[in-house]
Amino acid sequence: QKEVEQNSGPLSVPEGAIASLNCTYSDRGSQSFFWYRQYSGKSPELIMFIYSNGDKEDGRFTAQLNKASQYVSLLIRDSQPSDSATYLCAVNAGIYNQGGKLIFGQGTELSVKP
Amino acid sequence: GAVVSQHPSWVICKSGTSVKIECRSLDFQATTMFWYRQFPKQSLMLMATSNEGSKATYEQGVEKDKFLINHASLTLSTLTVTSAHPEDSSFYICSASLTTLVYLEQEQFFGPGTRLTVL
């Protein structure tokens, strides 16, 4: 069983719609969760992180965390073609966080159609 | 702040040669750096965790003698791919965590990556 799972997609949404990206994790000891965006041929860049249950908003992005269900999601409102990328969910490696080690999911490819 | 650089950005080499990739934290000290490999259409695969002044911790299945990691200072880690072969062709990315942050917020800052092609 994979430790961090994401739907590989591709997820296709029309411009202006809400894109919903989902991630589940297996280690209940995980405490912080990160969403990265990776454009083709580039390295990942952080969108946001969350470690408290509930929602966290930053501009058009909202991260949602439900530790009881071991589920974290990312919503992108008013999706733009420039949001087309692969979105990586990452989970910290454990309680002692091994120097910042993260475990990454396989990524969800998002395509926003004009 | 928290900028990580990598050099070179791309390299082409002949089979059997060794290639060194440098990863530098430009505006912060990185006690811990990470090395990843990514094949086309696949996710990041963590190769090893590099700790300043000590031996790297390799992930299962990663050959220590083939992928040599040195973290000699708080701002520099190097990955050397020894006796490279075509199957080592990949996108190599380093990252560093800002451990001065509260640990729950210790995001990783990624370098721009190095594309290695072995002929």
Side-chain angles (χ1 to χ4, degrees), chain A residues 37-62:
Chain A
R37 175 175 62 195
Q38 186 177 24
Y39 292 110
S40 181
K42 303 293 184 182
S43 63
E45 54 181 343
L46 182 72
I47 298 174
M48 62 192 306
F49 59 81
I50 185 169
Y51 49 79
S52 298
N53 272 327
D55 295 358
K56 179 181 179 182
E57 187 174 315
D58 184 0
R60 295 188 295 114
F61 299 95
T62 299

Side-chain angles (χ1 to χ4, degrees), chain A residues 31-32 34 36 38 41-44 46 49 51 88 92 95 97-102 104-107 109, chain B residues 32 34 36 38 41 43-44 46 49 59 91 93 97 99 103-113 115:
Chain A
Q31 297 193 9
S32 55
F34 301 78
Y36 284 85
Q38 186 177 24
K42 303 293 184 182
S43 63
L46 182 72
F49 59 81
Y51 49 79
L88 300 167
N92 78 338
I95 296 175
N97 203 30
Q98 302 180 42
K101 180 179 177 180
L102 298 178
F104 284 85
Q106 69 270 39
E109 184 182 350
Chain B
T32 304
F34 303 89
Y36 295 86
Q38 187 175 38
K41 299 292 185 182
S43 189
L44 298 172
L46 179 65
T49 301
E59 295 299 304
F91 191 43
I93 312 173
S97 59
T99 51
Y103 87 93
L104 287 176
E105 302 179 1
Q106 284 176 10
E107 63 176 283
Q108 286 186 20
F109 298 91
F110 285 86
R115 191 160 301 282

Side-chain angles (χ1 to χ4, degrees), chain B residues 58-99:
Chain B
Y58 290 82
E59 295 299 304
Q60 191 173 6
V62 177
E63 300 175 58
K64 301 178 183 181
D65 295 333
K66 182 168 184 62
F67 299 100
L68 302 179
I69 292 172
N70 185 292
H71 194 155
S73 77
L74 287 172
T75 59
L76 173 64
S77 176
T78 60
L79 168 67
T80 301
V81 183
T82 62
S83 187
H85 291 284
E87 57 266 29
D88 298 322
S89 298
S90 188
F91 191 43
Y92 291 85
I93 312 173
C94 73
S95 71
S97 59
L98 199 51
T99 51

Side-chain angles (χ1 to χ4, degrees), chain A residues 54-72:
Chain A
D55 295 358
K56 179 181 179 182
E57 187 174 315
D58 184 0
R60 295 188 295 114
F61 299 95
T62 299
Q64 299 175 318
L65 175 61
N66 184 325
K67 291 185 180 180
S69 301
Q70 295 175 244
Y71 175 90
V72 58

